[in-house]
Every structure is written in structure tokens, then in C-alpha cells.
Amino acid sequence: MPSYLEQKFGLHGRVALVTGSSQGLGQAMARALAQAGADVIVNGRDPAKLAPVVAELAALGAKATPIAADLGNRADVQQLIDQAVGWQGHLDILVNNAGIIKRAPAADHSDADWDLVLRVNLDGVFTACRAAGRHMIARGSGKIINIASLLTFFGGVTVPGYAASKGAVGQLTKALSNEWAGKGVNVNAIAPGYMRTDNTAALQADPMRSTEILSRIPANRWGEPGDLEGAVVFLASRASDYLSGHVMAVDGGWCGR
Ligand code: NAP
């Protein structure tokens, strides 16, 4: 008889796809899902970066496979979901994590940067949700976890495209929840706080911004990728079956300040 924790939080027999899991937050979430028992598909654009992550998950005893795809290309996204479903015949967990940021004052923000950020962070997320959602609705179960941001709630500084995309990810999460919660598919989001990854390298390197950010974090430290482990396993597991359309901030208390 599986333990209470295994019944509620265990992911054995589940297949998870984490987009953008070659490094950073996606890699940490892929590792956490694997440690909770899931078989994991690792994604990013560069196949060479996926191989070591797959090896790391395999060393933990998990089944893992790489699928390279560009989330900024709708045809690639559809193919990614088709291949993910084809791997074991089903897809139970989709973590829409791949995301990019382009920093420039709004008055100088180029069309190219705006379009690219919206394409990856929003169009890619909707296309993946729609393709995976069709499959999950047909099976009557599934967990979709979108990676939002504190800029889902706040406007940020010199990242207008990023803020617009992440605000939209929050609304998309609620819109899909409204349609799919009654069909056995939970759609939720995680809004990470300021985490130490390549995405925030420019902020970490700027002594003024870095100090300003740290001074507002009640936990008194920047987040580390591993800080998302509990939230992603919870949202992927049966323990969160009645949680839907929620954007969960994992931010060391930033939003409460
Ligand atoms: P990161 O270290 O830059 O990693 C981004 C990942 O996404 C990489 O694996 C990258 O792999 C992949 N990626 C980028 N563009 C892609 C594309 N077009 N198609 C497929 N994969 C792509 O960033 P991170 O900090 O881990 O961020 C992960 C997510 O969390 C993003 O959505 C970000 O907006 C969000 N977030 C981060 C923070 C933070 O403080 N770090 C805070 C809030 C939200 P390849 O380059 O190999 O394709």
C-alpha cells in the first residue's frame, strides 16, 4: 500500500514535459518531477545542452528523454507536444517554462525584441496548452503549470514586452482553468520571485538594482532554482486536484511587501 505522501504527491507512472529545461528553473523543476517519480521530457533549442540534463535525471533513476524544439515557432510546438505524447502514449504534466527577456527602455524597444518575446513567452505557451489540453481533455486528466513572473502583477522596469507577456500568461491560466477545470485538467501558474539564473544575470550584475531588489525580499535572499521544487511537485500531483486558475508566487515574500 503506497504511503499517504506517495498517494498524494507521488508522480510514478506520470509523464511530464518541462519546456526550457536545459538550465535554470526548468532544469530544477525537471529534476524535482523526476525525483517525485515522473518520467520526464527535457526541452530546449539546443540538443547539446539537453544531453547532460537527461543523463542527470537518468542517474537519479528516472526515465528521461530529450526533445529539441523552438517554442517561438508554432509548428515546432505542435510537433513537440505530438512527440511528447508519442513517447509513452500519454502526457500528464506540462510545465510551460521556456521564456526569454529583452531589456531596453520602452521608447527604444524594437519591434524585433517585442515580437520575439511575445512569440516565445505567450504564443508558445498558448500553442502548447492548446495541443496538450486537447489530449488531456480526451483522457479526462492532466496538469498544466505555466511559469509566470512577478511581472504578471507588476510592470517592471525597461522590460515592457516581458511584462506584457507574463501578465498575459496569468490571464491565460485563468481563462483555460475556466474551460478545463471541469474536464479534469488543472491549469495553474507559478510566479517565481527574483531567482539566480541567466535570465536575471543583468540585474545581479547591477549593484544598485541588486541591492534595491534584495532590500524588498522579506526572506532576505535571492531565490535559487531549487526553491521551485515543492511548488511544481505540488501542482503536478493529486494533492492539488482542487486548485485551479491560481497564480502561486514563490518569491520569498515579495508580493506581501
Ligand atoms: P534561463 O536560465 O535563461 O533558461 C531559459 C530556458 O528556456 C533555457 O533552457 C533555454 O534553453 C530555454 N529557451 C529559451 N528560449 C527558448 C525557445 N525559443 N524554445 C525553447 N526553449 C527556449 O531562464 P530561467 O530564469 O530559468 O527562466 C525560466 C522561466 O522562468 C522563464 O519563463 C522566465 O521568464 C521565468 N522567470 C524567471 C525568473 C528569474 O528570476 N530567473 C523570475 C520569474 C520568471 P535554450 O537556450 O537551449 O533554448
Side-chain angles (χ1 to χ4, degrees):
M1 174 82 173
S3 68
Y4 172 81
L5 277 181
E6 175 56 33
Q7 284 178 48
K8 286 288 183 187
F9 293 94
L11 300 177
H12 290 98
R14 311 285 180 88
V15 177
L17 163 62
V18 184
T19 68
S21 45
S22 60
Q23 63 180 54
L25 306 184
Q27 180 179 7
M29 290 189 285
R31 189 187 303 125
L33 295 172
Q35 282 177 316
D39 300 338
V40 178
I41 298 151
V42 177
N43 159 262
R45 286 163 302 180
D46 181 357
K49 283 168 64 183
L50 302 180
V53 181
V54 168
E56 184 203 352
L57 302 189
L60 293 170
K63 244 188 234 161
T65 195
I67 305 181
D70 181 351
L71 271 287
N73 176 320
R74 283 198 176 96
D76 256 36
V77 179
Q78 182 63 53
Q79 205 173 43
L80 167 66
I81 300 296
D82 290 346
Q83 286 180 329
V85 170
W87 182 42
Q88 311 257 10
H90 55 101
L91 178 67
D92 307 284
I93 300 157
L94 167 65
V95 182
N96 279 310
N97 166 77
I100 56 170
I101 191 162
K102 295 286 179 190
R103 294 178 195 280
D108 304 323
H109 216 76
S110 70
D111 286 350
D113 280 357
W114 175 272
D115 289 349
L116 184 60
V117 168
L118 269 288
R119 231 175 33 237
V120 176
N121 294 9
L122 182 58
D123 299 355
V125 171
F126 175 64
T127 308
C129 284
R130 186 178 56 194
R134 284 175 183 149
H135 167 72
M136 291 172 175
I137 288 166
R139 299 184 77 227
S141 74
K143 300 276 187 177
I144 296 179
I145 302 155
N146 294 325
I147 302 307
S149 165
L150 291 182
L151 301 198
T152 298
F153 316 115
F154 303 100
V157 185
T158 66
V159 286
Y162 183 82
S165 71
K166 292 296 184 177
V169 164
Q171 291 304 91
L172 177 63
T173 299
K174 294 174 203 169
L176 297 179
S177 162
N178 292 342
E179 291 196 39
W180 296 351
K183 300 178 193 293
V185 180
N186 298 73
V187 187
N188 290 293
I190 296 172
Y194 286 89
M195 320 293 284
R196 278 191 203 285
T197 68
D198 283 4
N199 175 290
T200 53
L203 296 180
Q204 294 172 54
D206 178 337
M208 220 166 79
R209 285 285 284 131
S210 177
T211 308
E212 190 182 278
I213 286 165
L214 188 58
S215 70
R216 197 195 143 151
I217 303 175
N220 264 331
R221 64 172 178 84
W222 280 62
E224 300 296 335
D227 286 317
L228 297 189
E229 288 176 1
V232 76
V233 170
F234 170 58
L235 292 177
S237 72
R238 290 180 186 86
S240 61
D241 276 353
Y242 199 58
L243 198 81
S244 198
H246 182 59
V247 183
M248 180 188 287
V250 180
D251 62 354
W254 173 284
C255 283
R257 188 110 176 201

